Amino acid sequence: MQKTTRRLFAAALAGALALTACGEAPEEDTPEVAEPEAPEGETDGETDGETDGETDEPAEEPAEETDFRGCLVTDQGGVDDQSFNQTAWEGMQRAEQELGITADVLESTSEADFEPNIQEFVNQECDLIVTVGFLLGEATEAAAQANPDQNFAIVDYAYDADYDNLRELVFGTEEAAFLAGYAAAGTTESGIVGTYGGINIPPVTVFMDGFLAGVRYYNQENGTDVQVEGWDGSDGLFTGNFESQDDGRNFTDQLLQAGADIIMPVAGPVGLGTAAAIEDFGEGLIVWVDTDGYESTQYGSLMLTSVMKNMDVAVFDSVQAAVDGNWEGGIVVGTLENDGVGLAPFHDNEDRVPQEVRDAIEELRQGIIDGEISVDPADYQ
């Protein structure tokens, strides 16, 4: 992405923050640092089902430990949300395993936790502090300005000024969401699909925009009239939080009653309420977000696909840059072209997706990369 485009994107996000961020006064109690969970091991050396008498390769030895500390502050929803925070934390855990760093995490339960959690890690002199989520933008920038010798990275926020000690990890999720919208439009049996968000902020609506654009493009190319409930490009359904699975269930019930048979929740663990509602309803499919929901949740059979935002890779790369002495601040954008975002496999539901839709996905992906296909819903009516 050219610098001018990135600056426009940064300005848009920064402007939106002024409207959406509303940090409360920080609590006086000093938060406790959560003990880092053991990193999930890579499954190297697995067999493909054949037996040839050879023994498996020995497990890769953990990296030699260093005195580097990578510290992560979550958004609301917790580190085990099976989506947003968890994916970022997995990147830090991978760095612990492969680079030999020490990984720590502080979980935020409300916006009032953001500032004290960041300050706690500043006080502990972490080598890199990663904050997860658009809502932490203001607190992270303030800490970076106050501590110019402390390196920070933030997921899902870009600023209109560059800081040498602050790396901004943003993602073109509208590109992958476009592919999901096209797949959903080509798979729906009711002719209606749905989506809803957690909080109405750019990192949420960008998924919904891409999904809507993909549906509209499918209609344009195939002479169909698949409808999208829950988002029209400017207004839609938002739970107002990233925690309440009951809200997810209620919003999903509303969309199911409107006839939607494929639903994309963009709300972290709130989306688990969608899965529970569809399971109870007895029919319908889900488009998960951030990570592959087939792998990360217990509802794999309900997943049509997932719009993956590879935050784990972005976090790991940031830690590695700091460890190797190659640190640079500024914007890093994840796209389809650099595999920063992507579409998960259809897994168990592959046979439900028409072959012509599956065949079209790779062509559409390349068309988006080449700039030949717009992912802006306003370009399709």
Side-chain angles (χ1 to χ4, degrees):
M1 184 177 288
Q2 295 180 348
K3 187 172 181 66
T4 300
T5 303
R6 296 190 311 182
R7 291 271 65 81
L8 290 173
F9 180 60
L13 284 177
L17 176 65
L19 298 176
T20 58
C22 54
E24 302 172 26
E27 298 175 358
E28 295 182 357
D29 294 338
T30 301
E32 295 182 0
V33 179
E35 291 293 331
E37 299 176 5
E40 297 180 4
E42 300 286 334
T43 55
D44 295 331
E46 290 184 357
T47 65
D48 60 3
E50 298 180 2
T51 56
D52 56 8
E54 296 182 4
T55 57
D56 291 340
E57 295 282 341
E60 183 178 333
E61 291 292 329
E64 183 178 346
E65 291 187 5
T66 74
D67 58 2
F68 187 100
R69 285 189 67 210
C71 301
L72 184 139
V73 177
T74 75
D75 196 350
Q76 303 168 55
V79 77
D80 57 352
D81 61 3
Q82 302 179 52
S83 183
F84 184 71
N85 292 299
Q86 181 172 320
T87 303
W89 175 233
E90 286 171 355
M92 190 68 77
Q93 289 179 299
R94 177 187 165 198
E96 184 172 56
Q97 181 177 0
E98 297 184 18
L99 304 179
I101 73 163
T102 298
D104 287 319
V105 62
L106 282 171
E107 298 184 76
S108 305
T109 59
S110 72
E111 292 183 25
D113 293 330
F114 297 160
E115 183 179 336
N117 281 349
I118 294 170
Q119 187 59 48
E120 175 64 17
F121 278 146
V122 170
N123 294 343
Q124 293 182 23
E125 299 183 347
C126 293
D127 294 281
L128 175 63
I129 299 172
V130 179
T131 61
V132 186
F134 182 86
L135 295 178
L136 282 94
E138 190 174 66
T140 303
E141 183 179 34
Q145 290 173 328
N147 302 277
D149 295 328
Q150 168 71 62
N151 284 339
F152 295 86
I154 182 169
V155 174
D156 270 353
Y157 203 102
Y159 302 95
D160 56 3
D162 280 335
Y163 300 97
D164 292 339
N165 64 330
L166 177 54
R167 178 175 290 202
E168 304 137 71
L169 310 176
V170 295
F171 302 85
T173 42
E174 70 277 14
E175 296 181 351
F178 179 99
L179 301 179
Y182 187 93
T187 303
T188 178
E189 296 179 355
S190 68
I192 302 172
V193 298
T195 185
Y196 70 89
I199 298 175
N200 188 349
I201 54 178
V204 170
T205 58
V206 69
F207 281 93
M208 301 163 80
D209 278 341
F211 186 78
L212 177 62
V215 173
R216 287 180 174 178
Y217 182 82
Y218 180 88
N219 287 337
Q220 173 182 288
E221 295 300 299
N222 294 276
T224 52
D225 189 29
V226 176
Q227 298 296 306
V228 178
E229 292 286 335
W231 182 244
D232 64 8
S234 61
D235 189 31
L237 298 176
F238 296 91
T239 63
N241 67 82
F242 294 115
E243 299 91 34
S244 174
Q245 293 183 30
D246 287 341
D247 285 347
R249 180 184 285 271
N250 292 335
F251 275 57
T252 301
D253 286 341
Q254 179 178 337
L255 291 169
L256 290 170
Q257 292 302 317
D261 60 355
I262 299 174
I263 297 172
M264 183 181 73
V266 191
V270 174
L272 295 174
T274 292
I278 289 178
E279 186 174 62
D280 289 348
F281 191 69
E283 57 184 83
L285 293 172
I286 301 167
V287 174
W288 198 248
V289 298
D290 294 331
T291 189
D292 188 345
Y294 183 89
E295 304 289 349
S296 68
T297 78
Q298 69 271 39
Y299 298 104
S301 64
L302 301 179
M303 299 293 164
L304 173 63
T305 185
S306 300
V307 180
M308 296 189 299
K309 181 162 61 173
N310 296 324
M311 295 172 288
D312 54 338
V313 177
V315 169
F316 175 85
D317 288 348
S318 296
V319 175
Q320 187 168 43
V323 169
D324 293 345
N326 298 322
W327 174 265
E328 291 184 357
I331 297 174
V332 178
V333 184
T335 64
L336 283 177
E337 184 172 16
N338 62 24
D339 294 323
V341 299
L343 191 70
F346 297 116
H347 294 297
D348 294 348
N349 291 300
E350 182 174 8
D351 290 343
R352 298 181 65 169
V353 183
Q355 185 64 50
E356 60 269 22
V357 173
R358 284 181 269 156
D359 291 343
I361 293 297
E362 182 56 33
E363 293 182 11
L364 294 172
R365 178 182 181 276
Q366 193 59 49
I368 293 169
I369 291 173
D370 294 341
E372 298 171 354
I373 297 176
S374 170
V375 294
D376 185 347
D379 290 335
Y380 310 103
Q381 299 302 325

